[in-house]
Amino acid sequence: MMNVLIIFGASGDLTSRKIIPALFQLFSEKKLPKPFAVIGISRTRFTSAEWRKQLKASIQKTMKDPDFSRDWDQFESIIHYFSGDVKNPEMFFELNCFIKEIQKENGEKNAEIVYYLAVAPILYTQIIQNFEKTGLAAKDFPDKYGIILEKPFGMDRQSAEDLNRQLHSVFQENQIFRIDHYLGKETVNNIFALRFANTIFEPLWNRDYIEHIQITVNESLPVGRRGPFYESTGILRDMFQNHLLQLLSITAMEPPAQFDAKFVRDEKVKVLRSIRKSKYEIEKNMVYGQYVKYREEQGVHPDSLVPTFIALRLFIDNWRWKGVPFYLRSGKSMSCQTSQILIQYKKPPHWIFENEIQRKREKSSSDPEGNSLLIQIQPSEGIRLNFLSKVPGTIMLFQNSELTFSFGNYGKNKLPEAYQRLLLDVFSGDPSLFARNDEVEAAWDIIDPFQNYIDSAIRRNISIPLYESGSWGPSASDLWMQKQGRTWLNLCPIIDRPEKNGSY
């Protein structure tokens, strides 16, 4: 049986920058199922040869493989292009004939078809309805069809429910792959290994030992050409409902009975449903701001009050995490691009090393900070454990020391790109790293109150704090943490560049 991936939005940036490069790498490594075909669909008038030429020029700029041309010449033979308007049902009948022609060329009578909707979410409903009208998908054949959707999955709880209902009219839930590329990253997958394959971490992974947790996903680039998208969507929908809550759920979930898609996703949903709803305490649990030149970006209203930075404090009301704050933050035009999870452990319950000599030497009698575990997701992937050690000498002084593990420096295999891992999972029918419908809806239950507060503030024309590009957000964010007796880890990626040790 032939395997066919049909990409709606073939002329878009996502296709040329992420999807096709991932497929090409999988093809080069002989990991794609055989026979395999890619069909790109867009309104742009291209022939297959013209699309292949454009893709090659785009991808070649970033590929350093000396065998690129040889592998590409073989790869492009499986790439096809079909021009059409997804709003036109007739196009889907024509597409069906096109698929059959490709099957015939490969000597195949049947095909397993996966549709990739790399288009604006506003087009999802139209495409799904046309699948149903033309019979190009059917939930009665779960082994024949699948569909991949990019975020955001709806704009709120109600629209997410509507989208899921539309999807389920044509596909079964196990045919639906709601993709979040963060879940394909090596470090995110390694959280499972770190927690559930090592007895030195999991026993301490609870409210008895952890003081708080920070999850940061910052971008150094400004909004740029995405101004209209940001104005209508905002950072909560763009980053928090998916990326950050996914990272939180994996960090906080209970051990599943086994490493299986259903059991893993069941535990993630339990976490999301346990998060305390913040309907009446929004101001206590959120800080937001906007970088100074945001209003000058293309497509942004000159008086826009849309945040480009948000920090949230969430609590998980269950046995493991009761009382432990989870801090989530994300911003545009920040000091650097970094995604990281900081596990901040509690201080020792009693500090036994205090003495007069140390007080004089340190000019401080305060206890040291607790240990911390940093899980860095991007740009370089790794783990760093911070602990105290004695400074060599005759006096009992301490210094902050660290153990660092970088994924790029270990193992024979090159770290796969997130889309490579996720696409392979789709082709093998493994939904473990994809959001389930109840997971999406539970995430919106958490985000909706915060988004409603932001929308209300914009309607009432309430001023928004500003921050300079290249900073760590508005000063109110640091003050907010200080009032709680905590500080943000405001350090750019440090796995490859460890911070300079300091002594207490």
Side-chain angles (χ1 to χ4, degrees):
M1 182 176 289
M2 188 168 193
N3 294 268
V4 181
L5 178 66
I6 300 176
I7 305 171
F8 291 86
S11 62
D13 181 63
L14 177 65
T15 299
S16 61
R17 193 166 52 89
K18 293 292 185 182
I19 302 173
I20 295 296
L23 290 169
F24 172 65
Q25 195 63 44
L26 291 172
F27 178 86
S28 300
E29 296 172 5
K30 296 179 172 53
K31 292 180 179 178
L32 286 180
K34 292 182 179 180
F36 194 88
V38 179
I39 301 175
I41 299 175
S42 180
R43 287 182 299 177
T44 307
R45 292 291 176 181
F46 275 142
T47 64
S48 291
E50 289 171 334
W51 192 46
R52 293 165 183 163
K53 184 178 180 181
Q54 185 188 69
L55 289 173
K56 181 178 181 180
S58 173
I59 296 171
Q60 199 167 18
K61 294 177 183 177
T62 58
M63 294 293 294
K64 298 179 180 179
D65 191 339
D67 296 326
F68 171 81
S69 295
R70 183 199 66 193
D71 290 343
W72 181 267
D73 289 343
Q74 298 175 27
F75 175 68
E76 70 176 11
S77 65
I78 69 171
I79 298 177
H80 310 272
Y81 186 83
F82 186 84
S83 178
D85 185 352
V86 298
K87 297 179 181 179
N88 180 10
E90 291 300 318
M91 186 276 285
F92 288 78
F93 289 111
E94 296 168 3
L95 173 62
N96 193 26
C97 294
F98 188 71
I99 295 170
K100 292 185 182 302
E101 287 178 15
I102 293 173
Q103 287 177 220
K104 188 176 180 180
E105 290 174 6
N106 286 270
E108 297 288 337
K109 293 183 179 180
N110 298 304
E112 292 183 4
I113 301 173
V114 174
Y115 302 106
Y116 199 132
L117 304 194
V119 296
I122 195 172
L123 295 173
Y124 287 175
T125 297
Q126 187 79 62
I127 295 172
I128 294 166
Q129 288 174 347
N130 283 329
F131 283 151
E132 190 171 22
K133 290 176 183 176
T134 58
L136 262 181
K139 61 182 180 181
D140 295 335
F141 301 96
D143 296 330
K144 186 174 181 181
Y145 299 105
I147 186 169
I148 305 171
L149 299 95
E150 286 279 344
K151 67 174 184 69
F153 314 114
M155 295 293 282
D156 53 22
R157 169 65 187 252
Q158 185 58 56
S159 59
E161 285 184 352
D162 293 342
L163 177 58
N164 283 329
R165 195 159 38 245
Q166 291 162 359
L167 285 165
H168 290 152
S169 69
V170 185
F171 300 93
Q172 294 184 22
E173 180 60 32
N174 64 356
Q175 296 172 275
I176 302 168
F177 298 86
R178 300 170 188 85
I179 196 166
D180 183 341
H181 72 275
Y182 267 63
L183 298 190
K185 291 183 177 294
E186 189 71 18
T187 315
V188 175
N189 282 277
N190 235 287
I191 296 174
F192 292 111
L194 185 75
R195 290 189 57 190
F196 305 133
N198 297 287
T199 56
I200 62 172
F201 292 113
E202 184 57 24
L204 309 183
W205 209 271
N206 56 59
R207 61 188 174 89
D208 293 331
Y209 297 96
I210 293 176
E211 203 280 329
H212 75 273
I213 292 176
Q214 298 178 25
I215 303 177
T216 298
V217 179
N218 280 344
E219 298 178 277
S220 59
L221 295 176
V223 169
R225 293 182 298 174
R226 300 181 76 209
F229 169 81
Y230 240 74
E231 285 288 280
S232 61
T233 302
I235 194 168
L236 279 173
R237 296 186 181 103
D238 185 40
M239 299 298 291
F240 284 78
Q241 186 274 336
N242 35 74
H243 294 336
L244 280 103
L245 285 183
Q246 285 287 341
L247 295 177
L248 180 149
S249 62
I250 293 173
T251 303
M253 65 186 279
E254 294 296 320
Q258 60 190 67
F259 195 65
D260 170 85
K262 180 184 183 305
F263 293 105
V264 169
R265 298 200 290 183
D266 283 349
E267 296 302 336
K268 288 167 66 182
V269 171
K270 288 179 186 177
V271 170
L272 296 176
R273 288 177 176 167
S274 299
I275 292 177
R276 188 183 306 168
K277 303 304 182 289
S278 301
K279 185 175 180 180
Y280 304 108
E281 295 186 324
I282 299 296
E283 293 185 10
K284 291 182 180 179
N285 294 309
M286 178 170 65
V287 177
Y288 59 92
Q290 181 189 95
Y291 68 84
V292 172
K293 294 187 177 181
Y294 171 70
R295 297 170 188 177
E296 300 175 17
E297 303 286 7
Q298 182 181 349
V300 172
H301 192 278
D303 298 319
S304 176
L305 297 172
V306 172
T308 58
F309 170 93
I310 287 181
L312 303 181
R313 180 179 64 171
L314 301 177
F315 291 93
I316 300 174
D317 290 335
N318 64 16
W319 192 274
R320 180 184 291 264
W321 296 113
K322 184 71 174 181
V324 177
F326 283 71
Y327 295 96
L328 282 60
R329 65 172 171 170
S330 181
K332 298 287 289 184
S333 202
M334 302 293 283
S335 176
C336 57
Q337 178 179 343
T338 183
S339 298
Q340 57 193 29
I341 301 169
L342 176 72
I343 313 295
Q344 182 63 56
Y345 289 93
K346 292 181 177 180
K347 298 177 181 180
H350 176 58
W351 187 246
I352 67 172
F353 300 105
E354 200 65 71
N355 56 58
E356 285 299 320
I357 296 177
Q358 185 169 340
R359 286 195 189 96
K360 294 176 182 177
R361 187 75 168 265
E362 297 295 308
K363 298 181 180 179
S364 171
S365 60
S366 61
D367 293 348
E369 290 295 321
N371 307 130
S372 65
L373 178 67
L374 179 70
I375 303 169
Q376 187 170 292
I377 299 166
Q378 69 172 12
S380 54
E381 300 176 296
I383 298 168
R384 190 191 72 175
L385 178 66
N386 269 75
F387 60 97
L388 291 179
S389 63
K390 180 183 174 297
V391 176
T394 58
I395 301 175
M396 186 63 80
L397 294 178
F398 295 87
Q399 64 182 357
N400 201 17
S401 302
E402 59 197 36
L403 294 173
T404 301
F405 173 83
S406 174
F407 290 103
N409 295 333
Y410 293 87
K412 298 178 181 179
N413 298 328
K414 179 182 177 183
L415 290 182
E417 289 294 326
Y419 276 88
Q420 293 177 41
R421 166 67 188 270
L422 295 173
L423 286 170
L424 271 185
D425 285 352
V426 171
F427 302 146
S428 64
D430 182 359
S432 301
L433 297 178
F434 298 84
R436 202 167 60 191
N437 60 318
D438 53 349
E439 190 176 342
V440 170
E441 292 166 11
W444 279 120
D445 284 340
I446 299 161
I447 295 302
D448 276 352
F450 292 103
Q451 186 62 56
N452 293 339
Y453 182 92
I454 293 290
D455 293 342
S456 175
I458 292 173
R459 286 194 301 271
R460 289 179 288 150
N461 202 35
I462 295 177
S463 62
I464 186 170
L466 301 178
Y467 64 93
E468 293 292 336
S469 293
S471 69
W472 285 89
S475 58
S477 174
D478 289 327
L479 292 173
W480 180 62
M481 288 291 275
Q482 289 170 17
K483 287 178 181 178
Q484 299 172 60
R486 302 181 177 97
T487 57
W488 289 113
L489 180 67
N490 287 342
L491 288 172
C492 286
I494 53 180
I495 294 299
D496 290 335
R497 296 178 298 163
E499 64 178 295
K500 186 177 181 181
N501 283 349
S503 60
Y504 284 101

